[in-house]
Amino acid sequence: MTNSLEDLEQAACILVIGSNTTEAHPIVGLRIKKAVMKNDCKLIVAEPRRIRLCYYADQWIRQMPGTDVALLNGMMNVILSEGLADEEFIRERTEGFEEFKKIIEQYPPERATEICGVRPEEIRRAARTFASAPSAAIVYAMGITQHSHGVDNVISLANLAMLTGNVGKVGAGVNPLRGQNNVQGACDMGCLPNVFPGYQAVTDSQAREKFERAWGVERLPETPGLTLMEMTDAASRGEVEVLYIMGENPVISDPDVAHLKEALEGLNFLVVQDIFLTETAAYADVVLPAASFAEKEGTFTNTDRRVQRVRKAVEPPGEAREDSWIIAQVAARMGYNMGDISAPSVMEEIAGLTPSYAGISYRRLEELGELRWPCPSPDHPGTPILHVEKFTRGKGKFSPVEYRPPAEVPDDEYPLILTTGRVLLHYHTGSMTRRVQALHELDPENQVWVNPADAGRLGIQSGEEVGVESRRAAIKVRAKVTERVPKGIVFIPFHFGESPANALTNTALDPVAKIPELKVAAVRIIAGPDKDKLSFVRA
Amino acid sequence: MKHISLTIDGIEVITTPGRTILEAAAEAGIRIPTLCYDPRLEPYGSCRVCLVEVEGQGRGFLPACATPADEDMVVRTDTEKLRGIRRTIIELLLSDHPNDCMTCESAGNCELQDLAYEYGVRKPRFQGEQHHHEAIVDNPIIERDYNKCVLCGRCVRICREVQGVGVYDFANRGFEAVPGTPYNRPLTETPCEFCGQCVSTCPTGAIVSIPSKGKGRSWQVRKVRTTCAYCGCGCQIDLHVRDGRIVDVSSPLMVGPGEGNHCAKGRYGYGFVHHSDRLTTPLVRKEGELVPATWEEALGLVADRISKAVKEQGPDSVAFLASARCTNEENYLFQKLARAVVGTNNVDHCARL
């Protein structure tokens, strides 16, 4: 997030796009509701499904999945043609505006309507509300990023923020909500194939030299490695022989499970380190029992870049051990001594090598409770808002984006669009929440949400088991007939291994971010006795 | 910013405009008893327990929680008269209260019990009709026992003001009034999000968490402050630990991103930690089956197989998937293992999923 969570309450307008905030990030949802209920914030929800936030919205825009670029370009077209842009901000803080303008001029609302299905007057209204607000914040999540054009979506949002001068000030900004407790931290720590901790490029020889010295090794690899999805492909080609997975369950979370399973089976050796024998661990050659969050010391970095403590409350069960101990033991057996691996010492090492974490220490965290990076020195208070005076690269760059359709669109054979996501009471691959008795009782099984019109056409009743089939696989799941999804679109949560939504999803990747298109796939529903001819996948 | 100065119990207190007398007093370390107050909620002023004397203000009694502090105010918080009023309020509340503290889930964490203790109310002077509601258990998380309700409206207000959901409102009138659900429907048939915010604000045992019932009194648990392990909000939570097990979770008021608010997963999603499915020993695949092994064997095998692949196929034949669930320190060490020990940049995690 460029801004802080507290900051959202100050926004005069919030555009929530591709985020079911009250279910996936409930506490961020509270901030948005508070902004609306107490501070008269105008909330625009752009979302195909009728999510809870729609009830608080000034305006609910129901764009078709995968058409966000057209919608946003249409809004920006209105902002430009009606003179609502922040010209001073554009002049002083940005570059590339003229080329950007040329593309935007090609997206009058009427053209956007043809693509995204939102009426021109609705696009105009949203554009006016957003651009005329003294401060307007953008909040998004995986509904924006999990597309074969996810990067385009994010760039469009950045364009919108810059066009209206909504960067670097209170109540504004571009605010992605991170879906997992420490997904921000895992990125910050260099668990990405192209960067060391603190986003220092592995291709930068100075960065490499610094880490070589600190880690006492002669040569660190200089070419970026493989992303998760590329690893799977490389494994199926036999190029990756050993895969070591720590605390992930890709069999449930990754698209096209059948393809992934093939890749896992094709590995020479799979190590899975986890707290449960997950669907992924079942494929492992070695399973290493790890400690849960309640059984160890450390830090997590949350969605607004806040580094906070994790403290040990109970002992791990049986012989389960902290991940840090396991990692250091493997390293030691390969002839490398990781030294003092206590959490405060490791943080000291991180701070010494990572400029944005340089001022973070356990002593300060004990005292202050939290520190937000960038925190470049031990006397720095942390940074609630990014890009206040200037952008990281100097001037903010407008990058014109043309609309590209999703990789798979509905046709006669697979006439419905499948979109996936989370529900309130479950979390990610379900390995934790589905083992919590009360949550399980309240939400015991998977459902496919179907619009009454589609249900009527297919002769489906709520509660009936149906087959949902894509080009990749079929799953058996109970139908929930609801107007919360529009006609032509079905929604399936991805938490449930016995009817895994991600068996159906598409592996088409964004060319830059390599993120799979989990939010749009073409499917068909098969009801009645015909469904029994399908072969159903379970994770 | 402009400051205002007032006198509370003879002490000069400097505060910022807009603060209530209750907040100004708290800043000066003066505790005024409350019952219907929660810092997460708008001032309400219904229970009158926080009445204070303010010189020159009509009859002189004002609710501290709902009265803004003002320049040159002279406030007294603990006079004989005030103690008498508070005592009467407590006696009236206790005249229709089960007084079953011995088995009540909230004993030790009950604001009414604390008030009765502080004001020495052992047996109320008043005898009258008492409620005999059945406890409502219509879902696996939240139990309601209206016999213990003091009608402070905190559950009604937190669900409406903070959650923006409004599952509860006062139903019926007078003696029969209760914070009910629409048409007395079970919570499972309302828009309830099972966040437990009503439990967290209830000052008595009228609304309690079912999963932690009977598992430990507030003085029997050790609270460990940590960061929630679910979504990226990063709420601060207190794990309640008794006999080496997590028996409940609460959210420290006005601390961290959640500021004392919490969701169903953060508050009730802890059961997995002690689940019998937890892995308790390393497993190694032998003849197609995963079988228990020693750490020595498992770690040796991992190191050998990685070393072998590096030697035969080069470091890029090994890949690492880190975890968005693990700590910064663990992720740091994991990518160090990949880069410094194995010599590959093949390290990623599920940031994209």
Side-chain angles (χ1 to χ4, degrees):
Chain A
M1 289 173 73
T2 62
N3 289 48
S4 71
L5 291 170
E6 292 90 335
D7 205 273
L8 276 177
E9 290 177 18
Q10 309 300 318
C13 172
I14 300 176
L15 168 64
V16 174
I17 183 164
S19 158
N20 181 9
T21 324
T22 61
E23 296 197 52
H25 299 87
I27 300 301
V28 183
L30 295 187
R31 300 259 182 206
I32 295 172
K33 292 181 202 171
K34 189 171 171 190
V36 172
M37 296 190 297
K38 294 207 171 148
N39 301 336
D40 292 326
C41 166
K42 286 214 186 312
L43 173 64
I44 305 168
V45 175
E47 166 69 42
R49 287 193 297 144
R50 191 177 72 210
I51 55 174
R52 275 267 170 105
L53 272 186
C54 296
Y55 297 108
Y56 306 82
D58 179 63
Q59 189 185 357
W60 170 33
I61 295 169
R62 204 172 204 184
Q63 79 275 36
M64 293 295 285
T67 64
D68 305 279
V69 166
L71 169 68
L72 294 165
N73 279 359
M75 282 173 66
M76 290 191 278
N77 180 287
V78 175
I79 290 168
L80 277 175
S81 64
E82 297 191 2
L84 298 170
D86 185 337
E87 283 167 20
E88 191 190 330
F89 186 91
I90 295 166
R91 201 170 49 242
E92 305 284 324
R93 300 274 317 263
T94 69
E95 60 190 25
F97 179 67
E98 290 307 320
E99 271 169 64
F100 160 76
K101 197 174 158 187
K102 272 183 219 152
I103 298 290
I104 295 301
E105 279 167 353
Q106 295 165 23
Y107 285 85
E110 288 72 17
R111 183 179 168 212
T113 301
E114 283 171 26
I115 301 167
C116 70
V118 180
R119 285 176 296 147
E121 58 269 31
E122 288 290 311
I123 297 176
R124 287 200 178 87
R125 179 175 161 191
R128 288 172 193 146
T129 308
F130 190 88
S132 56
S135 63
I138 296 166
V139 172
Y140 71 90
M142 291 306 202
I144 277 293
T145 53
Q146 284 175 341
H147 292 277
S148 57
H149 49 267
V151 170
D152 289 353
N153 287 349
V154 175
I155 289 174
S156 295
L157 292 173
N159 286 341
L160 176 64
M162 291 193 294
L163 184 67
T164 52
N166 277 305
V167 180
K169 65 179 187 186
V170 171
V174 180
N175 301 293
L177 303 179
R178 309 303 310 249
Q180 305 197 47
N181 56 335
N182 201 32
V183 67
Q184 183 65 55
C187 293
D188 297 347
M189 291 303 109
C191 289
L192 293 170
N194 57 338
V195 289
F196 291 115
Y199 306 97
Q200 303 172 80
V202 296
T203 51
D204 174 359
S205 61
Q206 281 186 334
R208 276 201 312 276
E209 276 167 35
K210 179 169 90 171
F211 282 95
E212 281 160 3
R213 259 198 316 279
W215 292 345
V217 291
E218 266 174 41
R219 258 187 82 144
L220 286 169
E222 41 197 79
T223 48
L226 303 172
T227 62
L228 192 163
M229 298 298 296
E230 291 169 331
M231 285 175 194
T232 317
D233 289 340
S236 352
R237 290 195 305 268
E239 289 163 21
V240 163
E241 299 204 333
V242 176
L243 181 58
Y244 186 161
I245 302 177
M246 170 173 82
E248 296 230 334
N249 190 8
V251 168
I252 302 290
S253 61
D254 289 20
D256 195 354
V257 176
H259 173 65
L260 178 73
K261 284 182 179 174
E262 261 173 44
L264 294 181
E265 279 163 359
L267 288 165
N268 266 343
F269 196 67
L270 174 64
V271 186
V272 174
Q273 183 170 314
D274 212 308
I275 63 173
F276 293 112
L277 191 70
T278 60
E279 291 82 353
T280 305
Y283 288 85
D285 296 290
V286 173
V287 179
L288 304 173
S292 78
F293 85 112
E295 296 151 2
K296 60 195 177 189
E297 302 286 335
T299 55
F300 292 153
T301 305
N302 83 335
T303 191
D304 71 354
R305 297 169 281 108
R306 238 182 277 223
V307 181
Q308 302 180 113
R309 281 295 318 276
V310 174
R311 293 188 182 85
K312 180 171 176 169
V314 293
E315 291 296 328
E319 292 175 45
R321 299 297 299 254
E322 295 90 339
D323 295 272
S324 51
W325 180 87
I326 304 172
I327 297 163
Q329 288 293 319
V330 173
R333 280 166 177 75
M334 295 181 68
Y336 187 93
N337 180 2
M338 285 213 166
D340 182 359
I341 52 152
S342 70
S345 301
V346 176
M347 182 51 83
E348 221 175 285
E349 183 174 327
I350 293 165
L353 290 163
T354 313
S356 53
Y357 277 66
I360 296 174
S361 65
Y362 274 53
R363 192 183 52 75
R364 290 193 77 195
L365 288 174
E366 284 306 323
E367 192 185 319
L368 301 168
E370 61 186 43
L371 275 165
R372 262 177 266 222
W373 67 258
C375 179
S377 62
D379 53 359
H380 192 281
T383 311
I385 306 181
L386 296 180
H387 317 306
V388 174
E389 298 290 328
K390 60 181 178 64
F391 287 94
T392 313
R393 69 184 291 277
K395 293 234 173 188
K397 187 173 178 223
F398 277 107
S399 306
V401 175
E402 289 272 16
Y403 166 73
R404 285 188 291 129
E408 194 174 72
V409 291
D411 53 24
D412 291 343
E413 225 182 327
Y414 297 92
L416 298 164
I417 296 177
L418 165 70
T419 189
T420 62
R422 291 186 182 165
V423 295
L424 179 67
L425 298 177
H426 286 299
Y427 177 76
H428 219 60
T429 71
S431 61
M432 289 153 63
T433 49
R434 296 200 71 205
R435 287 187 171 91
V436 176
Q437 185 59 27
L439 300 180
H440 172 72
E441 277 178 43
L442 284 168
D443 195 353
E445 64 173 354
N446 206 3
Q447 290 176 316
V448 53
W449 299 20
V450 187
N451 182 276
D454 294 322
R457 187 174 49 80
L458 293 159
I460 300 170
Q461 307 287 325
S462 253
E464 171 182 344
E465 275 193 326
V466 296
V468 182
E469 189 183 22
S470 77
R471 289 190 170 79
R472 291 153 292 279
I475 63 169
K476 185 152 78 172
V477 59
R478 228 172 265 288
K480 167 179 172 161
V481 178
T482 170
E483 282 177 354
R484 290 177 64 187
V485 283
K487 194 165 164 275
I489 299 175
V490 296
F491 168 76
I492 309 179
F494 68 97
H495 312 292
F496 300 86
E498 63 278 19
S499 58
N502 279 324
L504 309 174
T505 49
N506 194 351
T507 51
L509 298 186
D510 180 279
V512 181
K514 315 285 185 186
I515 192 166
E517 189 148 69
L518 301 185
K519 294 300 187 230
V520 187
V523 297
R524 62 184 169 209
I525 292 185
I526 301 184
D530 281 355
K531 74 171 183 297
D532 300 324
K533 293 176 197 150
L534 296 169
S535 102
F536 294 117
V537 171
R538 293 172 68 94
Chain B
M1 196 192 286
K2 202 173 143 280
H3 285 88
I4 53 172
S5 143
L6 67 161
T7 307
I8 304 178
D9 292 344
I11 299 167
E12 194 192 344
V13 178
I14 312 282
T15 189
T16 41
R19 294 279 160 90
T20 61
I21 294 174
L22 182 72
E23 289 162 343
E27 283 169 1
I30 300 165
R31 185 178 56 81
I32 300 172
T34 57
L35 191 59
C36 72
Y37 172 79
D38 182 323
R40 293 171 289 178
L41 302 174
E42 293 293 321
Y44 195 54
S46 78
C47 73
R48 319 313 273 182
V49 166
C50 72
L51 283 187
V52 292
E53 289 179 23
V54 179
E55 275 184 15
Q57 295 280 332
R59 280 190 295 169
F61 300 115
L62 290 174
C65 74
T67 309
D70 206 356
E71 185 71 30
D72 295 334
M73 237 179 197
V74 178
V75 180
R76 276 181 294 276
T77 72
D78 198 25
T79 64
E80 258 324 295
K81 217 167 195 174
L82 288 171
R83 290 186 69 85
I85 293 171
R86 288 179 193 145
R87 218 188 124 84
T88 306
I89 294 168
I90 299 159
E91 286 179 291
L92 285 167
L93 289 171
L94 288 180
S95 72
D96 179 25
H97 195 86
N99 293 345
D100 64 346
C101 300
M102 268 196 280
T103 51
C104 179
E105 187 56 27
S106 290
N109 187 29
C110 173
E111 294 174 37
L112 184 61
Q113 189 184 47
D114 291 346
L115 285 170
Y117 168 75
E118 186 176 349
Y119 286 81
V121 183
R122 184 138 192 274
K123 204 173 169 203
R125 277 177 290 163
F126 313 111
Q127 299 278 321
E129 196 183 340
Q130 292 209 331
H131 285 108
H132 296 285
H133 297 286
E134 287 287 317
I136 302 170
V137 186
D138 55 20
N139 70 88
I141 286 187
I142 296 166
E143 177 178 318
R144 291 173 285 155
D145 181 354
Y146 291 142
N147 296 323
K148 296 175 184 175
C149 177
V150 294
L151 297 176
C152 64
R154 281 164 66 167
C155 54
V156 174
R157 290 180 287 139
I158 204 158
C159 195
R160 185 186 299 160
E161 285 177 29
V162 179
Q163 286 301 117
V165 173
V167 161
Y168 301 116
D169 204 343
F170 286 113
N172 311 327
R173 297 180 68 94
F175 187 69
E176 298 305 323
V178 287
T181 57
Y183 308 102
N184 286 326
R185 287 207 181 119
L187 283 175
T188 44
E189 292 174 23
T190 69
C192 177
E193 295 174 348
F194 297 97
C195 58
Q197 294 264 71
C198 54
V199 175
S200 80
T201 196
C202 180
T204 70
I207 309 184
V208 298
S209 296
I210 295 169
S212 53
K213 269 187 87 174
K215 301 273 172 65
R217 301 288 205 189
S218 63
W219 62 86
Q220 293 170 319
V221 299
R222 183 169 56 93
K223 287 187 185 178
V224 180
R225 177 73 43 88
T226 192
T227 304
C228 177
Y230 284 106
C231 78
C233 295
C235 299
Q236 295 299 286
I237 52 173
D238 287 338
L239 304 176
H240 298 205
V241 180
R242 187 182 183 201
D243 299 336
R245 290 176 76 86
I246 300 168
V247 294
D248 199 4
V249 171
S250 62
S251 301
L253 282 183
M254 311 324 278
V255 172
E259 295 183 344
N261 299 309
H262 44 73
C263 72
K265 290 180 285 249
R267 183 168 169 112
Y268 297 110
Y270 56 88
F272 75 90
V273 172
H274 303 297
H275 197 281
S276 57
D277 286 353
R278 280 289 301 273
L279 289 167
T280 55
T281 168
L283 305 173
V284 169
R285 193 171 294 279
K286 286 179 186 162
E287 291 163 13
E289 294 292 314
L290 282 170
V291 293
T294 62
W295 273 110
E296 206 48 47
E297 183 186 0
L299 290 166
L301 189 57
V302 171
D304 285 352
R305 294 301 294 263
I306 295 176
S307 302
K308 183 165 172 266
V310 171
K311 204 166 147 198
E312 289 172 5
Q313 306 289 327
D316 287 339
S317 66
V318 184
F320 292 81
L321 273 187
S323 177
R325 324 307 324 285
C326 289
T327 64
N328 286 322
E329 292 77 4
E330 289 159 348
N331 278 301
Y332 173 84
L333 293 175
F334 197 68
Q335 59 90 39
K336 187 174 172 181
L337 173 69
R339 294 191 162 112
V341 184
V342 174
T344 179
N345 281 318
N346 287 343
V347 55
D348 197 11
H349 71 288
C350 64
R352 300 168 183 85
L353 298 165

